[in-house]
Amino acid sequence: MITFHLARADNGVIGRDGKLPWHLPADLKRFKAQTMGKPMVMGRKTFESFPSPLPGRRHIVLTRDARWTAEGAEVAHSPEAALALAGEGDVAVIGGSEIFALFLDRAEAIELTEVHADAEGDATVPAFAGWRETAREDHPAEAGRPAYSFVTLERP
């Protein structure tokens, strides 16, 4: 099963200068729990945004650059090659924008953190129209952090 994992502001922003435009510890904890032990498919910029590869997960990096390599990355040059590397079972697609667009027609579920703010950023993802919401957990703003909701979406 292919599942997207992302946090998205109300205005569609998912990133700014290669980083998240917010700091939500609960979102990071949820991301870790949901992706642990799974192959993660991501773009090169997403991989390079990590200080080092995340423990307990495979990092399959989709890039057009035939010469690109990095410690801890398994390189693929097409969505099909990335899925072949991932093998059978659950696959976590974690971004960025171009990668989500490439896999949208193949995704079966989306684990979304809705960040209730209009964030400034340079990476955006459109709203997921036509998906069925199957779970929602709302959290209020606190300690200078915006309100957010953990949402699970599935194909209708």
Side-chain angles (χ1 to χ4, degrees):
M1 174 150 88
I2 297 173
T3 303
F4 286 4
H5 297 268
L6 73 151
R8 179 185 177 278
D10 291 338
N11 62 347
V13 168
I14 64 167
R16 180 178 63 221
D17 299 327
K19 297 187 175 19
L20 295 173
W22 48 75
H23 180 66
L24 294 172
D27 175 54
L28 300 175
K29 183 177 178 183
R30 179 177 190 247
F31 175 84
K32 180 179 180 179
Q34 290 178 335
T35 60
M36 187 58 70
K38 295 180 180 147
M40 298 186 306
V41 175
M42 68 201 77
R44 177 191 52 79
K45 289 186 259 183
T46 296
F47 179 82
E48 290 176 348
S49 74
F50 300 142
S52 62
L54 303 176
R57 290 154 278 193
R58 291 173 53 210
H59 297 66
I60 299 170
V61 179
L62 190 52
T63 178
R64 290 181 287 267
D65 185 345
R67 295 182 306 272
W68 186 86
T69 62
E71 184 74 30
E74 299 173 54
V75 180
H77 302 293
S78 70
E80 295 75 22
L83 292 175
L85 277 173
E88 295 294 317
D90 292 340
V91 178
V93 175
I94 66 166
S97 304
E98 291 180 48
I99 304 304
F100 289 129
L102 284 171
F103 283 92
L104 185 58
D105 62 340
R106 304 171 201 223
E108 298 169 59
I110 301 171
E111 292 296 346
L112 175 65
T113 299
E114 293 178 343
V115 179
H116 301 302
D118 284 339
E120 289 186 30
D122 51 21
T124 61
V125 169
F128 296 102
W131 290 73
R132 182 171 48 93
E133 184 176 309
T134 59
R136 174 176 289 271
E137 183 182 310
D138 297 322
H139 298 272
E142 65 179 354
R145 296 185 180 104
Y148 59 95
S149 301
F150 292 147
V151 180
T152 301
L153 303 171
E154 295 177 1
R155 285 229 180 262

